[in-house]
Amino acid sequence: MVPELLSEDLCSLHPHSDRLAFSVLLQMDEEATVLSSRFEKTVIRSSGALSYKQAQARIDDADSVDPLTKTIQTLNRLAGKLRQRRMREGAAATPQPVPLPLSPHRRLPPTANGPT
C-alpha cells in the first residue's frame, strides 16, 4: 500500500498545481507515427480533473470547440490508431486485466527462465 501522503498528494495530479516530472515528449503525425521524441525534466500543471464519465462525454461531443475537449479527442484518436496497430501486429487481446499471482513477499513468482 502506498502511503496516503504519496497517493493523495505528492504523486497525484491536482488541477492547477505544479508537479515535477520526467516526461517523454512525442511528436506524431495523424497516423500516430512517431516523428520525434525526447526525454525532459519538466514541470507539469494539470488543466483539470475528469472522471471517466466526464472524459467520455468530451470524447463524444463532436460539436465542442473547447481546447481541452479537442485535445482529449485528438489523444483518443491517436490511442485508437496505436491500439489498431498493436492488434494488427499480433498483440494479445484480453477482455480484462490478467491477474498476476504474487508471492507472500509481494514479488512475482520465479519462472523457469528468470531469476529466482
Side-chain angles (χ1 to χ4, degrees), residues 61-115:
D61 186 357
D63 299 324
S64 177
V65 295
D66 172 64
L68 179 59
T69 299
K70 290 297 185 192
T71 298
I72 291 169
Q73 291 170 342
T74 297
L75 291 171
N76 184 63
R77 188 171 51 257
L78 291 171
K81 289 184 181 292
L82 290 169
R83 188 177 309 106
Q84 288 173 350
R85 186 179 306 150
R86 283 194 315 273
M87 292 300 136
R88 190 173 57 245
E89 293 174 0
T94 57
Q96 58 190 8
V98 177
L100 295 174
L102 296 176
S103 75
H105 303 290
R106 307 289 300 165
R107 293 198 167 97
L108 290 174
T111 64
N113 299 341

Side-chain angles (χ1 to χ4, degrees), residues 6-106:
L6 292 177
S7 66
E8 299 294 324
D9 185 23
L10 298 177
C11 295
S12 293
L13 294 177
H14 296 289
H16 313 292
S17 176
D18 289 347
R19 292 290 189 232
L20 298 176
F22 195 69
S23 301
V24 179
L25 304 172
L26 301 172
Q27 182 179 10
M28 297 177 151
D29 64 15
E30 288 292 322
E31 295 303 313
T33 301
V34 176
L35 304 175
S36 67
S37 64
R38 68 183 195 272
F39 297 86
E40 299 282 339
K41 291 179 182 178
T42 59
V43 178
I44 59 176
R45 179 178 285 212
S46 175
S47 297
L50 301 175
S51 67
Y52 287 107
K53 186 176 181 178
Q54 291 169 324
Q56 189 62 54
R58 287 179 182 246
I59 288 168
D60 296 338
D61 186 357
D63 299 324
S64 177
V65 295
D66 172 64
L68 179 59
T69 299
K70 290 297 185 192
T71 298
I72 291 169
Q73 291 170 342
T74 297
L75 291 171
N76 184 63
R77 188 171 51 257
L78 291 171
K81 289 184 181 292
L82 290 169
R83 188 177 309 106
Q84 288 173 350
R85 186 179 306 150
R86 283 194 315 273
M87 292 300 136
R88 190 173 57 245
E89 293 174 0
T94 57
Q96 58 190 8
V98 177
L100 295 174
L102 296 176
S103 75
H105 303 290
R106 307 289 300 165

